[in-house]
Amino acid sequence: MTSALKPGVHCISATPFLPDESLDEASLKTLLDYLVGGGCDGVVMLGVLGEADRLTDEERDRVLHGALDHADERLQVSVGITHSSTLVTAARARAAERAGAVSVMVSPPPGSAAGPALTDHFKRIAGGLANPVIVQDHPASSGVKMPVEFIASLYDLLPPNSIVKLEDPPTANKMSKLLELQPDFQVFGGLGGVSLYHELAAGSAGAMTGFALVEFLVGIVSSYQTGDIDGAFQKYEEALPLMVFEAQPGAGVALRKEILRRRGAIAHATVRQPAPKPDAFSLDALDQLLARIPDGVPA
Amino acid sequence: MTSALKPGVHCISATPFLPDESLDEASLKTLLDYLVGGGCDGVVMLGVLGEADRLTDEERDRVLHGALDHADERLQVSVGITHSSTLVTAARARAAERAGAVSVMVSPPPGSAAGPALTDHFKRIAGGLANPVIVQDHPASSGVKMPVEFIASLYDLLPPNSIVKLEDPPTANKMSKLLELQPDFQVFGGLGGVSLYHELAAGSAGAMTGFALVEFLVGIVSSYQTGDIDGAFQKYEEALPLMVFEAQPGAGVALRKEILRRRGAIAHATVRQPAPKPDAFSLDALDQLLARIPDGVPA
Amino acid sequence: MTSALKPGVHCISATPFLPDESLDEASLKTLLDYLVGGGCDGVVMLGVLGEADRLTDEERDRVLHGALDHADERLQVSVGITHSSTLVTAARARAAERAGAVSVMVSPPPGSAAGPALTDHFKRIAGGLANPVIVQDHPASSGVKMPVEFIASLYDLLPPNSIVKLEDPPTANKMSKLLELQPDFQVFGGLGGVSLYHELAAGSAGAMTGFALVEFLVGIVSSYQTGDIDGAFQKYEEALPLMVFEAQPGAGVALRKEILRRRGAIAHATVRQPAPKPDAFSLDALDQLLARIPDGVPA
Amino acid sequence: MTSALKPGVHCISATPFLPDESLDEASLKTLLDYLVGGGCDGVVMLGVLGEADRLTDEERDRVLHGALDHADERLQVSVGITHSSTLVTAARARAAERAGAVSVMVSPPPGSAAGPALTDHFKRIAGGLANPVIVQDHPASSGVKMPVEFIASLYDLLPPNSIVKLEDPPTANKMSKLLELQPDFQVFGGLGGVSLYHELAAGSAGAMTGFALVEFLVGIVSSYQTGDIDGAFQKYEEALPLMVFEAQPGAGVALRKEILRRRGAIAHATVRQPAPKPDAFSLDALDQLLARIPDGVPA
């Protein structure tokens, strides 16, 4: 029996570190509890926010198994497995499925381009998988532009219930075009939630992103899905100043970890180096933004 | 006597076209009246939103002179003069000053890099000018990254009262660092206003961007400048959904022209080709966003 | 009656400047005489080597008309007309044809992408033209990747005898694939001639590039075309050290102008700023390379 | 006692694969024998040509230890250790030194930029190392431009005898500038050897690249170093057609493996997917180029 992702909120998880930058496995547990408590349907380990490219293979395994163990049945656990080699990506996909991950997320490898070679890449990864693949369309991190026709063409060679995490702006337009071409794809938005309201209007199944105040993601999506469009917009409007602030290039991971730390979800805001750390000005701006959010963050 | 830019809002102007893509000089006048009516302090012709790179030299002249004639004393008129040749940029700068422009805006030429050659470029342009130069720091259009130390070093070789239009995110951080290094620079924010509130906190003199609902830019800046910080934030929060929507890569110029058309500021939303046009989905999203803005747009 | 480009060598022309960077129209004439004397079949004004993006519209006109007048019937004169606006490019195309240019060269505008909008761009430019269009496929300057299928699809909407200047490495492979898909396209190689031998093997009609020792381009192409493959290779091998040296990113225009100056083709090696100038080390390397070329350059 | 790299040729090694893309450890041994037989002074495992980014951590270990075991004292063995995390890179550096590698090669991580954070990255990696670090300056693969002043500034914080592999064209110019600023750096050229002759003139200690006919690299460098400048140039000129052909973007790894296979150095030309494979046209061009090289390759 194959799995499928629940519509709703699948939060991209941070990877917690101790001050010496080693893995903080205790905080991984509290972070997952935080996501459960915030109402998330699932979690995606080892994405961009998870600093996946700054881990060793052995650390990747510890993060994935740690998450699967602790989440238990409370969250659907997916995992990013992007690698430059088809062979290695395919091996990671099979290993993740065996370990219990509900789906695997794959970006086009750096330097690839929409075309037959990239199609083969996805086809080989899909071979022998029962569970869905999340195709991540995020040119800002991959450097690869995938036209909507190319993405649509992947559906038939991926496992049932496969997904597109669509992060190529303007996202809502591209979603609506993709769903015209291939209505069977399940589509989620990302990019910190900054276009979430429009993405839901375009047919998105929810949010797959790492905005730290997850209850806002959950609130926007569930309001929209139950028909309370005005309520969804109001929550979107309330969250947007922080969403925009977090989503600025070169700042997001550290700011999100800082919010998670203040809320008690993780013990340290440490980011693996080299990476920008928030300066005093940014932390002050963060204070102000959080203070303006109703029930935002304990001091 | 040299000029200086007033703190406040200097709107980046669109360049109106007739349906056959030729210049619409009548709409240029109504657009300037609209900006005056909206409370702008100045206007910047021939920036990115002005589709400057899609005009001939002769059309550039008509736009600049048309704007100077019609604005009269009601708006400070600045003009973008970026060109790949130092010689041509310098000639444009002198011509603009003679014609009456209060300042000229210059981006680093494509393919240049922070260093002595780019310093010489700015020095030669500044030679013989009395009026200020606006250094545009917008890597998304120029492709050129300028470290804050490099920008600060330009101050001494530019005319008095020169300005930085800082659009390299995270913008507020970079502004605060730039103003530490060189407090005499006047700094404005751009990028559609999406970080305007934080930029004002960082010391920005105002907004220099093309958000179509200019009364929001004016309201946010004047509230902040008169000490009504909460009022500034509230207007920022109200405007942000539309600001974020407009600022999506590959959509902004056409969407802004469409809003200007609906508000009667210009007769046609025509954008010079090749350029993306809004699809039905985007126009519908625009309808919804405008409907949610108090006193937004007449039907 | 429509025109067609002769197989052979169409040299990309430099634009000569006086030491103050103004146009050197006298040198434009001696340069054209040099190209005629070197055995070129044609010349392409206002390409990348022609520093087209560093000229005003008025200077462009002077260069094109000066070249047409002086070349007379001795050379086929083509002209680069790339611009960000379809409307302006189309107007330039018609003006060039009226003035007597045998063909016009068009790169995809910056920021465009292979797809329907770019197809429309070429279709509108082609409308009303009798003479061929040269599609320049040079991602290093345009930033635009055009798959071979896309380029092939342009043939039917362009005027008869249209051409592809193929400069997307590996060039010979792409040429052979393009000619399989659309054998009616005439294809020329560029990139300073560094792959000229292989391009001829792939079906190229000749060289369309700015290597300063044009007699080598002519010798390689005519040897190959008359069946003297070994002779072509030998000349290619002799020229290659200088070709590779000239073709290094960030050095080529100034080095080529320096060689043209030493050979008496132009009076000054001036390059419009900002642009790298050869340092003492490069000039010394150039001396050595020229000294090793049989009948290279007078001291 | 610290180590130092011998001037001469340190060949970048391919990583041999079986037809199913798994590691071919037998071929790794024959390849090292081939490099010894060709007269190389050293070998660099796990560079770009080594497809390092397409290996797992476990495979990296097997390649490095396999090379150290088999090379014995016949070659100096260096190893590429570039990773996005400082912590992981530093751990790899220490492990490589313990295992017996003579030096470790580090590129700036993707997304980094010349500045204090990148300086810290190198400083932390250098901490606790006795052996030299090779700073790889190859913007085409790293995406990071390092000004010559920045590279020079790294010298004081790296271990004694550290090296720059300078692959930012025009390379010979940049080498001569770097050696003016910091004459104690040992500098090697790369880029397939296409500028090797000029790099030696600029002060390069030799070649650190993967050109498959290593005896040409050895011949050029040793002729130059023993004062036979003309002999060096003649060999450079003979090798250049193949060097240029191999160095074309998107073709090199597969073509080099094909040559190594034909020469008996490895059993299979397999490249890990997704990666371009040479088409029939390229293989035919390769045949012709090899046939023209004296004593080139057995049929």
Side-chain angles (χ1 to χ4, degrees):
Chain A
M1 202 201 93
T2 66
S3 60
L5 287 199
K6 295 180 201 161
V9 175
H10 294 260
C11 195
I12 305 293
S13 177
T15 298
F17 297 115
L18 295 169
D20 68 359
E21 297 189 22
S22 64
L23 275 187
D24 176 0
E25 294 177 89
S27 284
L28 180 56
K29 293 179 186 174
T30 52
L31 175 55
L32 291 163
D33 294 339
Y34 168 83
L35 299 179
V36 171
C40 295
D41 299 287
V43 64
V44 183
M45 308 309 300
L46 301 174
V48 173
L49 174 60
E51 301 175 65
D53 63 334
R54 299 198 196 109
L55 302 181
T56 65
D57 288 353
E58 186 266 341
E59 289 171 328
R60 292 177 47 85
D61 283 347
R62 281 162 60 200
V63 168
L64 174 58
H65 288 98
L68 287 164
D69 284 353
H70 191 72
D72 207 6
E73 302 294 303
R74 300 177 298 160
L75 289 169
Q76 291 189 311
V77 177
S78 301
V79 59
I81 60 166
T82 301
H83 191 273
S84 292
S85 157
T86 310
L87 187 80
V88 176
T89 316
R92 285 180 172 183
R94 288 190 304 270
E97 185 166 302
R98 277 196 307 272
V102 70
S103 70
V104 292
M105 181 169 71
V106 180
S107 271
S112 63
L118 188 53
T119 299
D120 282 352
H121 180 71
F122 280 104
K123 192 186 289 182
R124 280 180 62 189
I125 294 163
L129 283 189
N131 287 353
V133 169
I134 305 169
V135 177
Q136 185 178 21
D137 178 26
H138 186 224
S141 65
S142 69
V144 182
K145 273 280 200 184
M146 295 191 286
V148 70
E149 294 80 7
F150 178 80
I151 299 175
S153 76
L154 297 176
Y155 183 80
D156 289 331
L157 52 89
L158 294 176
N161 303 316
S162 284
I163 294 112
V164 179
K165 181 174 196 283
L166 202 155
E167 310 187 274
D168 180 21
T171 50
N173 297 41
K174 194 170 179 179
M175 277 184 192
S176 69
K177 282 176 198 151
L178 175 60
L179 291 171
E180 267 177 46
L181 292 173
Q182 182 42 272
D184 293 335
F185 254 137
Q186 190 182 37
V187 179
F188 284 86
L191 292 181
V194 297
S195 296
L196 178 52
Y197 175 80
H198 305 293
E199 291 160 358
L200 293 167
S204 168
M208 190 176 276
T209 191
F211 184 61
L213 304 194
V214 290
E215 66 271 28
F216 275 94
L217 299 177
V218 171
I220 295 165
V221 172
S222 62
S223 293
Y224 202 98
Q225 289 175 338
T226 57
D228 177 11
I229 310 300
D230 287 345
F233 189 83
Q234 190 187 322
K235 290 189 188 75
Y236 172 66
E237 199 174 24
E238 280 174 15
L240 205 47
L242 184 59
M243 285 175 163
V244 167
F245 187 73
E246 274 191 21
Q248 292 185 95
V253 176
L255 288 172
R256 283 173 187 163
K257 283 188 150 178
E258 172 65 14
I259 301 176
L260 293 170
R261 187 193 66 77
R262 293 189 190 186
R263 295 192 126 200
I266 60 178
H268 310 280
T270 314
V271 175
R272 281 213 169 160
Q273 295 302 300
K277 297 179 196 175
D279 56 8
F281 181 86
S282 297
L283 292 176
D284 186 59
L286 191 58
D287 286 340
Q288 290 187 45
L289 286 168
L290 291 171
R292 290 183 185 282
I293 290 179
D295 309 316
V297 172
Chain B
M1 202 201 92
T2 67
S3 60
L5 286 199
K6 295 180 201 162
V9 175
H10 294 259
C11 195
I12 306 292
S13 176
T15 298
F17 297 115
L18 296 170
D20 68 359
E21 296 189 24
S22 63
L23 275 187
D24 177 1
E25 294 177 269
S27 283
L28 180 57
K29 293 179 185 171
T30 52
L31 175 55
L32 291 163
D33 294 339
Y34 169 83
L35 299 179
V36 171
C40 295
D41 299 287
V43 64
V44 183
M45 308 309 299
L46 301 174
V48 173
L49 174 60
E51 299 173 66
D53 64 333
R54 298 196 197 112
L55 302 181
T56 65
D57 289 352
E58 186 265 341
E59 289 171 330
R60 292 177 47 86
D61 283 347
R62 281 162 60 199
V63 168
L64 175 58
H65 287 97
L68 286 165
D69 283 354
H70 191 71
D72 207 7
E73 302 295 303
R74 300 178 300 161
L75 289 168
Q76 290 189 310
V77 177
S78 300
V79 60
I81 60 166
T82 301
H83 192 271
S84 293
S85 157
T86 310
L87 187 81
V88 175
T89 316
R92 285 181 171 183
R94 289 191 303 271
E97 184 167 303
R98 278 196 307 272
V102 70
S103 70
V104 292
M105 180 169 70
V106 180
S107 269
S112 64
L118 188 53
T119 299
D120 283 352
H121 180 70
F122 279 104
K123 192 186 288 182
R124 279 179 63 187
I125 293 163
L129 284 188
N131 288 352
V133 168
I134 304 169
V135 177
Q136 185 177 21
D137 178 26
H138 186 224
S141 64
S142 69
V144 182
K145 273 280 201 184
M146 295 191 287
V148 72
E149 294 80 8
F150 177 80
I151 300 175
S153 77
L154 296 177
Y155 184 81
D156 289 332
L157 51 90
L158 294 175
N161 303 316
S162 283
I163 293 113
V164 179
K165 181 174 196 283
L166 202 154
E167 308 186 277
D168 179 21
T171 49
N173 297 41
K174 193 169 179 180
M175 276 183 193
S176 68
K177 282 176 198 151
L178 176 60
L179 291 171
E180 267 176 47
L181 292 173
Q182 182 41 273
D184 293 335
F185 253 136
Q186 191 182 36
V187 178
F188 284 85
L191 292 181
V194 298
S195 296
L196 177 53
Y197 175 81
H198 304 292
E199 290 160 358
L200 293 166
S204 168
M208 189 176 275
T209 191
F211 184 61
L213 305 193
V214 290
E215 67 272 27
F216 275 93
L217 299 177
V218 171
I220 295 165
V221 172
S222 61
S223 294
Y224 202 97
Q225 289 176 337
T226 57
D228 177 11
I229 310 301
D230 286 346
F233 189 82
Q234 190 186 322
K235 290 187 187 78
Y236 171 67
E237 200 174 23
E238 281 173 14
L240 206 46
L242 184 58
M243 284 175 164
V244 166
F245 187 73
E246 274 191 19
Q248 291 184 96
V253 176
L255 288 172
R256 283 174 186 162
K257 284 188 149 178
E258 173 64 16
I259 301 176
L260 292 170
R261 187 193 65 77
R262 293 189 189 186
R263 296 191 126 201
I266 61 178
H268 310 280
T270 314
V271 174
R272 280 211 169 162
Q273 294 304 299
K277 298 179 196 175
D279 57 9
F281 181 86
S282 296
L283 292 175
D284 186 59
L286 191 58
D287 287 340
Q288 290 187 46
L289 286 168
L290 290 171
R292 290 184 186 281
I293 290 178
D295 310 315
V297 172
Chain C
M1 204 201 91
T2 66
S3 61
L5 286 199
K6 296 179 199 163
V9 175
H10 293 260
C11 195
I12 305 292
S13 176
T15 298
F17 297 115
L18 296 169
D20 68 358
E21 297 189 23
S22 64
L23 275 186
D24 176 0
E25 293 177 271
S27 284
L28 180 57
K29 293 179 184 173
T30 53
L31 175 55
L32 290 163
D33 295 340
Y34 169 85
L35 298 179
V36 171
C40 294
D41 299 287
V43 64
V44 183
M45 310 309 300
L46 301 175
V48 173
L49 175 60
E51 299 173 65
D53 63 334
R54 298 198 197 110
L55 301 180
T56 65
D57 289 352
E58 186 266 341
E59 289 170 329
R60 291 177 48 87
D61 282 347
R62 281 162 60 199
V63 169
L64 175 57
H65 288 97
L68 287 165
D69 284 353
H70 192 73
D72 208 8
E73 302 294 304
R74 300 178 300 161
L75 288 169
Q76 291 188 309
V77 177
S78 300
V79 60
I81 59 166
T82 301
H83 191 273
S84 293
S85 156
T86 310
L87 186 82
V88 174
T89 316
R92 285 181 171 183
R94 289 190 304 270
E97 185 166 303
R98 277 195 308 272
V102 70
S103 71
V104 291
M105 180 169 70
V106 180
S107 271
S112 63
L118 188 54
T119 299
D120 282 352
H121 180 71
F122 280 104
K123 192 186 287 183
R124 278 179 64 187
I125 294 163
L129 283 188
N131 287 353
V133 167
I134 304 168
V135 177
Q136 186 176 22
D137 178 26
H138 186 225
S141 64
S142 70
V144 181
K145 273 280 200 184
M146 294 191 287
V148 71
E149 294 79 8
F150 178 80
I151 300 175
S153 76
L154 297 176
Y155 184 80
D156 289 332
L157 52 89
L158 294 175
N161 303 314
S162 283
I163 293 112
V164 178
K165 182 175 197 281
L166 202 156
E167 309 186 276
D168 179 22
T171 50
N173 297 41
K174 194 170 180 179
M175 277 183 192
S176 68
K177 281 176 199 152
L178 176 60
L179 291 171
E180 266 176 47
L181 292 174
Q182 182 42 274
D184 293 335
F185 253 136
Q186 191 182 36
V187 178
F188 285 85
L191 291 181
V194 297
S195 296
L196 177 52
Y197 175 81
H198 304 292
E199 290 161 357
L200 292 166
S204 168
M208 189 176 277
T209 191
F211 184 62
L213 304 192
V214 289
E215 66 273 26
F216 275 93
L217 298 177
V218 171
I220 295 165
V221 173
S222 61
S223 294
Y224 203 98
Q225 287 176 338
T226 58
D228 178 11
I229 310 301
D230 287 345
F233 189 83
Q234 191 186 321
K235 290 187 187 78
Y236 171 67
E237 199 174 22
E238 281 173 15
L240 205 46
L242 184 58
M243 284 174 163
V244 167
F245 187 73
E246 273 191 19
Q248 291 184 97
V253 175
L255 288 172
R256 282 175 186 162
K257 283 189 149 178
E258 173 63 16
I259 301 176
L260 293 170
R261 187 194 66 77
R262 293 188 190 187
R263 296 191 126 200
I266 59 177
H268 310 279
T270 314
V271 175
R272 281 212 169 161
Q273 294 304 299
K277 297 179 195 176
D279 57 9
F281 181 86
S282 296
L283 292 175
D284 187 59
L286 190 59
D287 287 341
Q288 290 188 46
L289 286 168
L290 291 171
R292 290 182 185 281
I293 290 179
D295 309 315
V297 172
Chain D
M1 201 200 93
T2 67
S3 61
L5 286 199
K6 296 180 200 161
V9 174
H10 293 260
C11 196
I12 306 292
S13 177
T15 299
F17 298 115
L18 295 170
D20 69 358
E21 298 189 21
S22 64
L23 274 187
D24 176 0
E25 293 176 270
S27 283
L28 179 57
K29 294 179 185 173
T30 53
L31 175 55
L32 291 163
D33 294 339
Y34 169 84
L35 299 179
V36 171
C40 295
D41 300 286
V43 64
V44 184
M45 309 310 299
L46 301 175
V48 173
L49 175 60
E51 301 174 63
D53 62 334
R54 299 198 196 109
L55 302 181
T56 65
D57 288 352
E58 186 267 342
E59 290 171 328
R60 292 178 47 87
D61 282 347
R62 281 161 61 199
V63 168
L64 175 57
H65 288 98
L68 287 164
D69 282 354
H70 191 72
D72 208 6
E73 302 295 302
R74 301 178 299 161
L75 289 168
Q76 292 188 310
V77 177
S78 301
V79 59
I81 59 166
T82 301
H83 192 272
S84 293
S85 157
T86 310
L87 186 82
V88 176
T89 316
R92 285 180 171 183
R94 289 190 305 269
E97 186 167 301
R98 277 196 307 272
V102 70
S103 70
V104 291
M105 181 169 69
V106 180
S107 272
S112 63
L118 188 53
T119 299
D120 281 352
H121 180 70
F122 280 104
K123 192 185 288 181
R124 280 179 62 187
I125 293 162
L129 284 188
N131 287 354
V133 169
I134 305 169
V135 177
Q136 184 177 21
D137 178 26
H138 185 224
S141 65
S142 69
V144 181
K145 274 280 201 184
M146 293 191 287
V148 72
E149 294 80 6
F150 178 80
I151 299 174
S153 77
L154 297 177
Y155 184 79
D156 289 331
L157 51 91
L158 294 175
N161 303 316
S162 284
I163 294 113
V164 179
K165 181 175 197 282
L166 200 155
E167 308 187 275
D168 179 22
T171 50
N173 297 41
K174 192 170 180 179
M175 276 184 192
S176 69
K177 281 175 199 152
L178 176 60
L179 290 171
E180 267 177 47
L181 291 174
Q182 182 42 272
D184 293 335
F185 253 136
Q186 191 182 35
V187 178
F188 284 86
L191 291 180
V194 297
S195 296
L196 177 53
Y197 175 80
H198 304 292
E199 290 160 358
L200 292 166
S204 169
M208 188 176 278
T209 191
F211 185 61
L213 304 192
V214 290
E215 66 271 28
F216 275 93
L217 299 177
V218 171
I220 295 165
V221 172
S222 62
S223 294
Y224 202 99
Q225 287 175 339
T226 58
D228 177 12
I229 310 300
D230 287 347
F233 189 83
Q234 190 187 322
K235 290 187 188 78
Y236 171 66
E237 198 174 23
E238 280 173 15
L240 205 45
L242 185 58
M243 283 175 163
V244 167
F245 187 73
E246 273 191 19
Q248 292 185 94
V253 176
L255 288 172
R256 282 173 187 163
K257 284 189 149 177
E258 172 64 16
I259 301 175
L260 293 170
R261 187 193 65 78
R262 293 188 188 187
R263 297 190 125 201
I266 60 178
H268 310 280
T270 314
V271 175
R272 281 214 169 160
Q273 295 304 301
K277 298 179 195 176
D279 56 9
F281 181 87
S282 297
L283 292 175
D284 186 60
L286 190 59
D287 286 340
Q288 291 189 45
L289 286 168
L290 290 171
R292 290 183 186 282
I293 290 178
D295 310 315
V297 171

